[in-house]
């Protein structure tokens, strides 16, 4: 089959690789009908996540048709259209039983790698390095889905791939990030990053009762989408100081909650940006926390900082004095997709949201190297790419 494979920093290729096979009774094989490039895939593309190997198949946002089932999988049938959560969860461990699916204890066979730097491991993830299990991803023609009896969700008739594809990751991720803000009626939420997760976080914040959402970015087409599609107020941080603008827009108090939807490759300017770039180049810092620093400082006293942006290692110059003395709460984590699938599917079916609005580019899987290039460098007004095998 054809698959998008990592071969090094800024080097992805479409290779011919062996078809996946059933290796466990709880496996399923999916013929992929739609897949997408996620912002967190760029962390692999840019070479910031360790334990990648040449030939690893990328991708964790995918859906398709069931073509083969292990003997223990009874929840779906061959021929069913399904979406696949990016987190791999066993369904029976301590954490899965508490609806904390992305913290599954049994799905990462390489947990020991993560434990060395994080203490404990999250769940396994599709297409996201050997540190999170070494599972082949879904930017391919077929994929093996382990724990398919808990990790496949059947799609009702009448919904297109593009309406439901993002239930695999970015729609639940944006929703969970907004839910983590503990939004109360009348609240103001500030969101750093207007990429796909940020866009869904804006929509979700309004769905959960926010009165105002202020979106912060520097890319014109992203700010335009946030303003026109999601009705957010916008700040271009290259034109004004975001912190000062937020004070002015909130009467000096600050937003009730602040969200970092950027993560480890935040664009920094001035001394902070130079500091992070230099320390990262010297391997003295793994992640660039510009957005996180700003969110902590900007948030009102007693507020909440929500972090859906991906971090994998260590960061410097975190304003813990502000965090502690203002009495802030921080909530974060890989998304518990299984928890949110059904309620968010209902929102789609009810017409509350059509997630396909986020798509700016549709390409064949053979065009994946070009797709990664324009997505990374934000060329051609690219915000979200869907690939068709």
């Amino acid at each position: 089959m054809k698959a998008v494979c990592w071969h090094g920093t800024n080097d992805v290729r479409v290779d011919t690789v062996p078809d996946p096979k059933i290796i466990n009774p709880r496996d399923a094989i999916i013929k992929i009908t739609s897949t997408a490039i996620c912002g967190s895939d760029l962390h692999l593309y840019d070479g910031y996540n360790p334990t990648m190997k040449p030939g690893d198949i990328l991708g964790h946002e995918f859906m398709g048709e069931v073509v083969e089932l292990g003997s223990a999988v009874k929840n779906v049938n061959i021929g069913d259209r399904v979406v696949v959560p990016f987190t791999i969860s066993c369904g029976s461990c301590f954490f899965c039983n508490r609806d904390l699916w992305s913290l599954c204890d049994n799905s990462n066979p390489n947990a020991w790698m993560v434990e060395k730097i994080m203490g404990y491991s999250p769940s396994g993830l599709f297409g996201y390095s050997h540190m999170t299990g070494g599972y082949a991803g879904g930017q391919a023609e077929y994929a093996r889905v382990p724990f398919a009896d808990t990790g496949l969700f059947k799609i009702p008739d009448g919904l297109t791939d593009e309406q439901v594809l993002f239930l695999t990751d970015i729609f639940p991720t944006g929703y969970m990030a907004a839910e983590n803000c503990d939004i109360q009626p009348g609240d103001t939420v500030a969101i750093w990053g207007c990429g796909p997760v940020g866009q869904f976080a804006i929509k979700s914040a309004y769905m959960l009762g926010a009165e105002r959402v202020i979106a912060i970015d520097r890319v014109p087409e992203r700010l335009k989408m946030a303003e026109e599609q999601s009705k957010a107020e916008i700040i271009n941080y290259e034109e004004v100081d975001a912190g000062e603008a937020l004070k002015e827009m909130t009467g000096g108090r600050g937003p009730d909650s602040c969200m970092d939807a950027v993560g480890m490759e935040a664009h920094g300017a001035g001394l902070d940006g130079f500091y992070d770039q230099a320390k990262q180049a010297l391997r003295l810092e793994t992640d660039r926390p510009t957005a996180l620093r700003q969110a902590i400082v900007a948030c009102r006293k007693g507020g909440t900082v929500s972090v859906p942006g991906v971090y994998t290692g260590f960061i410097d110059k975190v304003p813990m004095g502000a965090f502690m003395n203002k009495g802030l709460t921080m909530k974060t984590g890989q998304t518990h997709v299984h928890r949110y699938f059904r309620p968010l599917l209902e929102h789609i079916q009810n017409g509350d949201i059509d997630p396909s609005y986020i798509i700016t580019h549709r390409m064949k899987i053979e065009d994946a190297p070009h797709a990664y290039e324009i997505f990374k460098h934000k060329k051609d007004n690219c915000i979200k790419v869907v690939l068709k095998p």
Side-chain angles (χ1 to χ4, degrees):
M1 68 171 183
K2 293 177 182 176
V4 181
C5 298
W6 185 90
H7 284 273
T9 301
N10 297 319
D11 183 3
V12 300
R13 307 172 195 173
V14 180
D15 295 339
T16 299
V17 302
D19 291 346
K21 298 182 183 300
I22 297 283
I23 61 174
N24 184 285
R26 298 178 68 184
D27 288 350
I29 304 297
I30 306 302
K31 180 181 180 181
I32 295 168
T33 55
S34 294
T35 183
I37 301 174
C38 181
S40 54
D41 287 327
L42 294 182
H43 304 322
L44 306 179
Y45 185 66
D46 291 342
Y48 290 119
N49 278 29
T51 70
M52 290 294 292
K53 297 180 181 180
D56 284 349
I57 300 173
L58 296 170
H60 57 268
E61 295 180 348
F62 62 98
M63 63 173 293
E65 178 185 332
V66 178
V67 294
E68 191 175 353
L69 292 171
S71 60
V73 183
K74 306 298 183 184
N75 56 310
V76 294
N77 298 308
I78 290 175
D80 284 347
R81 290 175 67 226
V82 293
V83 298
V84 185
F86 79 98
T87 50
I88 303 170
S89 309
C90 74
S92 58
C93 70
F94 175 94
F95 296 99
C96 290
N97 283 333
R98 284 157 178 79
D99 222 15
L100 301 172
W101 300 88
S102 71
L103 303 177
C104 177
D105 255 347
N106 294 325
S107 61
N108 184 1
N110 297 330
W112 63 272
M113 295 183 185
V114 190
E115 289 167 0
K116 288 183 179 296
I117 58 172
M118 298 183 188
Y120 296 92
S121 171
S123 70
L125 306 176
F126 285 103
Y128 217 75
S129 84
H130 292 265
M131 187 170 67
T132 56
Y135 293 99
Q139 291 171 9
E141 293 182 296
Y142 295 88
R144 179 180 75 92
V145 178
F147 301 113
D149 50 348
T150 62
L152 291 181
F153 290 91
K154 186 176 177 180
I155 297 304
D157 295 336
L159 295 173
T160 67
D161 276 21
E162 291 187 355
Q163 286 178 287
V164 298
L165 174 60
F166 304 129
L167 288 170
T168 58
D169 178 1
I170 55 173
F171 185 14
T173 295
Y175 190 89
M176 179 171 137
E179 187 179 77
N180 281 344
C181 289
D182 189 27
I183 294 168
Q184 304 299 312
D187 272 4
T188 297
V189 181
I191 299 175
W192 276 255
C194 294
V197 168
Q199 299 289 342
F200 283 125
I202 296 167
K203 293 271 193 183
S204 299
Y206 281 129
M207 289 165 65
L208 291 168
E211 182 174 309
R212 301 173 68 193
V213 180
I214 304 170
I216 303 150
D217 206 300
R218 67 188 178 101
V219 181
E221 57 268 21
R222 292 185 174 193
L223 289 166
K224 182 179 179 181
M225 180 178 281
E227 184 176 40
E228 294 183 355
Q229 294 281 351
S230 302
K231 311 306 179 187
E233 301 169 57
I234 58 173
I235 295 173
N236 185 331
Y237 67 80
E238 288 191 331
E239 296 177 355
V240 299
D241 181 278
E244 290 302 314
L246 286 168
K247 281 185 179 180
E248 183 176 339
M249 296 168 77
T250 59
R253 186 171 64 193
D256 299 288
S257 54
C258 291
M259 186 186 305
D260 171 6
V262 181
M264 64 184 287
E265 289 189 76
H267 175 81
L271 184 60
D272 284 357
F274 176 77
Y275 174 88
D276 287 329
Q277 292 280 3
K279 292 210 72 172
Q280 194 177 56
L282 294 169
R283 299 294 188 265
L284 298 175
E285 181 183 34
T286 59
D287 304 354
R288 305 194 298 265
T290 300
L292 180 61
R293 292 188 193 113
Q294 292 181 6
I296 290 171
V297 171
C299 194
R300 71 153 168 84
K301 293 183 286 188
T304 300
V305 176
S306 173
V307 187
V310 173
Y311 288 88
T312 61
F314 301 91
I315 55 177
D316 292 356
K317 299 294 185 289
V318 176
M320 281 305 298
F323 187 83
M324 181 269 167
N325 285 287
K326 291 200 295 183
L328 301 181
T329 298
M330 184 180 291
K331 300 190 77 173
T332 186
Q334 297 286 0
T335 307
H336 308 303
V337 177
H338 300 60
R339 179 198 299 177
Y340 298 105
F341 173 82
R342 299 196 189 283
L344 295 185
L345 177 63
E346 288 182 10
H347 278 296
I348 296 171
Q349 290 177 300
N350 293 339
D352 301 329
I353 185 172
D354 180 354
S356 64
Y357 82 91
I358 202 82
I359 302 169
T360 55
H361 290 67
R362 297 163 176 87
M363 299 184 182
K364 296 180 180 179
I365 200 167
E366 292 87 346
D367 299 324
H370 176 63
Y372 267 87
E373 180 70 11
I374 64 169
F375 185 48
K376 172 182 175 175
H377 294 289
K378 303 170 181 62
K379 297 179 180 177
D380 193 29
N381 296 327
C382 182
I383 294 176
K384 188 66 177 180
V385 183
V386 170
L387 302 173
K388 295 285 187 177

